[in-house]
Amino acid sequence: VSGLTLLNKPDKYDITVTGDTINNVKFVGYESVLSQMTADDIVMECDLAEREITEGQYQLPVRFSVPTKGFVWATGEYSVILEVKERES
């Protein structure tokens, strides 16, 4: 799965995702839905809303959803590494 979306990103920082692809994500759900699912159906998000963000490197959890299919969800824990730098004026 690739194409991470950062939610609630602070405006004063530039955030770079180190490797925005996660391999071997396991999904469970109805076989009829899973068999028709493609990588384009999967949404990968990292929410920064409840994080105290300053400059540095962070390993943060990622959440997966499949909004166009329903009755499917990811199992396990997944994360990405973010590099945070203060935006220059």
Side-chain angles (χ1 to χ4, degrees):
V1 180
S2 62
L4 177 69
T5 300
L6 295 175
L7 303 174
N8 301 303
K9 187 169 103 174
D11 291 334
K12 68 179 190 173
Y13 294 104
D14 288 320
I15 300 176
T16 305
V17 180
T18 304
D20 70 341
T21 299
I22 297 179
N23 295 314
N24 301 317
V25 177
K26 296 192 187 308
F27 287 90
V28 296
Y30 292 130
E31 177 62 35
S32 60
V33 176
L34 290 170
S35 65
Q36 300 295 317
M37 206 169 83
T38 68
D40 292 334
D41 295 320
I42 302 167
V43 175
M44 179 171 57
E45 298 173 326
C46 182
D47 193 352
L48 305 176
E50 296 181 19
R51 308 274 178 209
E52 182 66 34
I53 301 293
T54 59
E55 285 193 313
Q57 196 174 65
Y58 298 87
Q59 182 172 354
L60 296 176
V62 173
R63 128 179 111 214
F64 294 93
S65 63
V66 188
T68 60
K69 298 294 183 186
F71 301 110
V72 174
W73 57 94
T75 63
E77 295 181 16
Y78 304 93
S79 62
V80 291
I81 296 175
L82 305 178
E83 183 71 38
V84 179
K85 294 184 181 177
E86 192 164 349
R87 186 170 283 155
E88 295 182 25
S89 321

